[in-house]
Amino acid sequence: MSSDSQSSFVEAPVPSPAASLSDVDSLPSSPTTSSLEASSSDSGNGEETDAEREWKESLQQLELLLTMVVVPYVGKYFGRKCAYWGWAKFMQWKYPVEIVVTSERMFKGAGVVEAAASL
């Protein structure tokens, strides 16, 4: 029974060392200087790299602006708006009062001023 189980396996052919060396020799090990010069001449010899660097710096500045100024300000504004809404709903549920905003424009303006006050 053990001889039958061993005979059911298929053995892969072992490649000869000469064949594997010829395959490896045909692959380039590193880019040649002529291919590097060709790729750098296609890219504009550094003008695009300066443009790419400036583009990355401007994206980084926009990211900083968003994370340091815009997101906290917007979060604070909508957080206060949500808190006022929740407090009005709680007061209406707990006590028989009706919360009426007389001027929607003034209410939004006060929220903007309060959100910007501590920035």
Side-chain angles (χ1 to χ4, degrees):
M1 181 169 193
S2 67
S3 65
D4 290 336
S5 65
Q6 289 177 353
S7 65
S8 66
F9 291 110
V10 177
E11 293 182 19
V14 178
S16 66
S20 64
L21 288 176
S22 66
D23 291 341
V24 172
D25 289 339
S26 67
L27 298 174
S29 60
S30 64
T32 61
T33 57
S34 62
S35 65
L36 288 175
E37 289 171 358
S39 66
S40 66
S41 66
D42 292 340
S43 66
N45 288 338
E47 291 179 16
E48 284 188 3
T49 58
D50 290 340
E52 288 174 3
R53 189 178 317 117
E54 288 180 16
W55 175 253
K56 288 178 183 176
E57 287 177 5
S58 65
L59 286 178
Q60 193 174 31
Q61 289 174 353
L62 282 174
E63 182 183 357
L64 281 173
L65 177 72
L66 283 173
T67 58
M68 301 295 270
V69 177
V70 175
V71 171
Y73 179 76
V74 170
K76 195 175 206 183
Y77 174 76
F78 284 114
R80 288 178 189 257
K81 192 169 180 117
C82 180
Y84 289 146
W85 177 83
W87 184 252
K89 292 296 178 187
F90 173 75
M91 292 301 287
Q92 288 176 356
W93 172 76
K94 179 94 172 157
Y95 304 106
V97 295
E98 185 177 335
I99 309 297
V100 177
V101 177
T102 57
S103 173
E104 188 72 29
R105 186 174 171 188
M106 289 294 291
F107 181 71
K108 286 183 180 181
V112 168
V113 169
E114 275 187 47
S118 63
L119 292 177

